[in-house]
Amino acid sequence: MKNKKIKMMFTAIIATTLCISLAGCSNDSKTPPQTSTSSEAETSESVSEESDPSGIGIEIPERYDKEADNVSFKTDVIVSANVRENGLRKLSATVQKPDPVKVFDCLMGDTEIREKNEEENNYWYEGVNNEILTINNTSIGFSTNFYAYVSNAFRLQQGYSDYNADKYELDKDLEFASRQEAFENIRQAMETMGIGIEEQYKCYVLEHSMLQSEEYAMDISGNVDQASYKGSWTQDDDAYYFVINQKYSDTPAYHVFYDSFPMAADENAPVQVLYNKDGIQFLQLEKVFTFTEQENNYDLKPFEEIAQVIETKYGMLLDGSTYTVNQAMLYYMENKISEEKYEVVPVWIFNTVDSETGKTLQDIVNAQTGEEIIWEEK
């Protein structure tokens, strides 16, 4: 049940956050837990040439290879050159808060409003053409009818069988604006709304011909819903879909999306924007942070000790499957302590492929303590 699953996901987020409604906007710019003891199994291990530990206290390999029973490490260890040379700087983080008046003016200032509800830290607007805007103190959700059509043809959720984002190009400019011009217009609009973003994005190129070929809509009974199809697609429908993440000094930043979705993936990026010749058609923003450097670096555990956590976890599984760990990346993680209070924790995020299912599993390990981080709703 293709579209139904996606729409059910969006409905759940709206109910939880009052900010993820199908929303649309037009921006008229045309230019653009757990550590365990070591396994006793015989293993073979090799570590690639390691970085000079001077200034960071540990050696971080560029590649980690090890075989241990049902767990195979063929792991690219992704760390910025700055961290390898100077260590990982301690940070603090505060959540940026959008300005509701400026958000409204930017996204719906020229829209005839059919219905609205304005409360402190909770604003909701509906336009006569089904535009929807929701704003609270950490989130913005906005979409138009055009987004509704695109969502029937561009599906970003990798956990669903109808995922198709990998069919779209990433390295191509459309006629109405280049990717960089479009991004700059988005960045300026975000600044107007009170939100600063870095130039750290991935851009899916949504050409009208591909959108038309991938369009699929179904009704509540699971039947094809012809009434929800766009009808015709032209070059005027060409668009970009931006997935925008945060980073600090070339180290990516991560947080649990809406305190509900812990997977580090495009679908959970804190800022997502659909942009066409008429400007922003969809905006989903969920917690963008400002970072401040603190004294000293984080004291990181050796990578071999961190990898042992993953080896022990999957080595204990007696399900007949084998597990291949193909990537480990160092992140800053904004960890919610209490309402509006966050700490910044260094973490390793591992991607592991289950041979039985072919699925990629993701695990998060605290880079200081070596404890696996098991997400719990706060």
Side-chain angles (χ1 to χ4, degrees), residues 109-141:
D110 297 325
T111 302
E112 183 180 349
I113 303 301
R114 173 170 30 195
E115 193 174 350
K116 66 179 179 179
N117 181 61
E118 296 178 323
E119 300 175 1
E120 186 176 2
N121 294 327
N122 186 13
Y123 303 85
W124 178 84
Y125 305 91
E126 181 179 355
V128 293
N129 293 316
N130 301 316
E131 305 93 338
I132 294 177
L133 172 63
T134 61
I135 312 165
N136 67 24
N137 60 353
T138 62
S139 305
I140 304 170

Side-chain angles (χ1 to χ4, degrees), residues 30-44:
K30 303 270 183 174
T31 43
Q34 302 144 354
T35 54
S36 307
T37 57
S38 299
S39 170
E40 296 179 358
E42 291 186 7
T43 63
S44 62

Side-chain angles (χ1 to χ4, degrees), residues 288-316:
V288 173
F289 291 86
T290 296
F291 301 107
T292 304
E293 284 194 1
Q294 305 297 299
E295 291 185 4
N296 302 320
N297 291 342
Y298 292 102
D299 185 13
L300 306 181
K301 277 189 170 293
F303 183 80
E304 291 79 2
E305 293 184 27
I306 300 295
Q308 183 65 53
V309 177
I310 304 301
E311 179 183 332
T312 301
K313 175 178 179 174
Y314 290 108
M316 293 174 64

